[in-house]
Amino acid sequence: MTSPTPTPAPRSTTRRDAPIDALAGVLIMLVVFGHAIEPLSGQYAETLAQWIFMFHMPAFVFVSGYVTRYSTRWAPGRTVAKLAFPYAVFTVIHAALTSALTGDAFSASFLTPSWTLWYLVALAAWRLSAPLLRSSWWVVPGLALAGVLLGTVAGVGRELSLERIICFAPFFAAGLLWEDRWWQRLRTGPMRLAAVTLLGLALVWSWLSEETVIRSIFFMSESYEDIGQYNAEGMLQRGGVLVAGAVLTLAVLSLSGGTNRILASIGAATLPVYLLHPLVLYPAHLDDYRIGWSESVMIVVLIAFSVVFSWAASRPIVVKATRPLMDYAFWKELVRR
């Protein structure tokens, strides 16, 4: 699913926000791990996937909104170009990879984002509407209500990820509106104890409910009719998903604040990690892993893979090598030389 932000904007031109970078580093590793275990179907993997999906994208969207506050100016053209370029490039790459792996004819649709690329479209929409989203805290519950109601409209489909854009927008708006003085209140000992308890309870609930809960309800990308639910049932579940996402996001934020250098270095370069990991995981998503290892062994291996891949893809040498695929400014600079 899910799934990340481009490199967060710094507070100033000379200094990054290390705790936020470290938090982004943890979240991007969860994004990779969540996608890595999706092909698995055992109880342990399903429990972990459901647990991660409950909070990792809401928290990541919040961080995207939080760092957007530090943009020096609202620049619609630059925002669109910055995100449309990697979206177009990786849409073609995804289509070519799918064609090569399946033998089907090459087909690239720019109106229907491929797998993880929806986030680039959503991020562009949120950043373009940032002046409106940061206008009042009433925007947050208003958008949440709109997302719940939108699920009753059949036929919205996945074009430009409209449903996801609206459903996850409350978390982006909350990040925009967050005040730094609240960090101190959230990161106290009792609040962190409550955060650990809430995350633990969410894990227990995921274990107990993994056979009955539809994984796709956490993606919020389809109407209730599309996933076989009545409107009343779907509205209740989506409302619960949004509330759980908000509460668990606060729990994750409460546990943040560390400045681990390795995590911060990963969080400072989330875009390469986000765009490159689907290329590695695509074969498994199309045709399972087909290794024959037990579920528990696969989970351990995929945890290690997620950490190592996130670290490797965020190294300066990889960022520099892949920049032509992700940054339109590279080509502008090349032409000017």
Side-chain angles (χ1 to χ4, degrees), residues 10-244:
R11 289 177 180 268
S12 68
T13 57
T14 58
R15 187 176 180 181
R16 296 190 64 90
D17 188 329
I20 292 298
D21 278 347
L23 174 58
V26 172
L27 292 173
I28 195 62
M29 285 192 289
L30 287 176
V31 169
V32 176
F33 180 62
H35 289 154
I37 62 175
E38 275 189 292
L40 303 180
S41 58
Q43 185 175 14
Y44 295 116
E46 191 64 37
T47 296
L48 287 173
Q50 183 171 301
W51 180 65
I52 291 170
F53 292 156
M54 289 176 70
F55 66 86
H56 83 308
M57 282 311 301
F60 207 80
V61 174
F62 175 93
V63 171
S64 297
Y66 181 82
V67 300
T68 297
R69 303 184 313 162
Y70 300 112
S71 298
T72 56
R73 60 190 177 88
W74 186 64
R78 184 173 180 273
T79 296
V80 171
K82 185 176 182 181
L83 295 169
F85 178 79
Y87 175 75
V89 170
F90 279 84
T91 293
V92 173
I93 292 176
H94 281 210
L97 186 58
T98 300
S99 177
L101 291 173
T102 63
D104 296 336
F106 175 88
S107 177
S109 173
F110 294 98
L111 289 180
T112 306
S114 171
W115 193 9
T116 58
L117 298 183
W118 75 272
Y119 198 78
L120 298 181
V121 180
L123 194 58
W126 296 329
R127 286 183 171 173
L128 288 174
S129 57
L132 176 62
L133 297 180
R134 60 160 48 107
S135 61
S136 167
W137 268 103
W138 285 106
V139 170
V140 176
L143 286 169
L145 178 60
V148 170
L149 293 176
L150 185 61
T152 65
V153 182
V156 173
R158 302 193 178 199
E159 283 73 16
L160 295 179
S161 298
L162 177 61
E163 192 133 0
R164 273 184 164 180
I165 290 173
I166 294 175
C167 289
F168 282 101
F171 302 103
F172 190 87
L176 284 172
L177 293 162
W178 186 264
E179 297 185 21
D180 286 337
R181 60 189 175 91
W182 295 339
W183 288 121
Q184 187 174 0
R185 300 177 186 177
L186 193 64
R187 290 168 175 166
T188 63
M191 290 297 288
R192 286 180 164 173
L193 178 60
V196 172
T197 302
L198 286 169
L199 288 167
L201 289 174
L203 182 60
V204 172
W205 180 83
S206 297
W207 172 264
L208 297 175
S209 64
E210 58 88 18
E211 290 187 352
T212 57
V213 171
I214 304 171
R215 183 189 290 181
S216 60
I217 68 171
F218 299 104
F219 304 160
M220 297 189 288
S221 60
E222 300 172 292
S223 71
Y224 306 136
E225 181 180 328
D226 291 336
I227 58 177
Q229 293 180 331
Y230 293 108
N231 285 340
E233 177 189 10
M235 291 172 68
L236 183 62
Q237 284 198 345
R238 181 167 292 182
V241 167
L242 289 168
V243 170

Side-chain angles (χ1 to χ4, degrees), residues 262-274:
I262 296 177
L263 290 177
S265 69
I266 295 172
T270 54
L271 184 61
V273 180
Y274 188 74

